[in-house]
Amino acid sequence: MRQCDQFHLTHHRPSDITGDVRVVLDTNVIVAAMRSPTGASAALLIAARRGEVTLVSNVALALEYEATCCPPEHGLAAGLNPAQVSIFLDAVIAMVEPVETHFLWRPLLHDPGDEPILES
């Protein structure tokens, strides 16, 4: 076993997280979790399901999750039909703690699509 693999197995497990950890997930994390249920992105959703972290999102970001996951290529890569993609998204959104966004300033990021992440 490589040293980095051994370190990864013995440290940084979701159960090592203490306190109320609130996480905002970018849409690429949600897509990666859907496409690779054994990957690191899926591990974040599993940690949320176990109550080890709290997912937070505003309405705009939740709608972005839906818009990003629904194109057929993602469902096909994940081996899911459109109904199953919808069930996946419903399950993710069911775990989310809704937050309101209050604008004190409007961010200007290189990728305007990332602005809802910063705003959450």
Side-chain angles (χ1 to χ4, degrees):
M1 180 179 305
R2 297 181 328 197
Q3 186 176 10
C4 64
D5 291 336
Q6 183 179 9
F7 176 80
H8 197 57
L9 291 174
T10 59
H11 301 287
H12 305 294
R13 295 182 183 169
S15 60
D16 292 340
I17 298 172
T18 57
D20 184 26
V21 178
R22 296 164 55 86
V23 180
V24 178
L25 298 179
D26 194 1
T27 53
N28 65 334
V29 176
I30 302 299
V31 170
M34 183 176 75
R35 293 176 68 144
S36 179
T38 60
S41 297
L44 290 170
L45 295 182
I46 292 167
R49 186 171 178 214
R50 292 179 181 161
E52 296 166 351
V53 298
T54 301
L55 301 180
V56 296
S57 174
N58 60 15
V59 172
L61 183 57
L63 292 172
E64 187 178 337
Y65 290 165
E66 182 177 25
T68 304
C69 288
C70 286
E73 64 267 16
H74 294 309
L76 184 61
L80 302 175
N81 63 41
Q84 292 169 319
V85 170
S86 181
I87 291 168
F88 170 81
L89 287 167
D90 288 347
V92 170
I93 298 302
M95 292 189 290
V96 167
E97 178 182 307
V99 293
E100 288 186 39
T101 303
H102 302 280
F103 296 100
L104 297 178
W105 58 276
R106 185 71 182 168
L108 295 173
L109 301 178
H110 293 295
D111 181 357
D114 283 341
E115 290 179 5
I117 303 298
L118 183 62
E119 294 166 358
S120 292

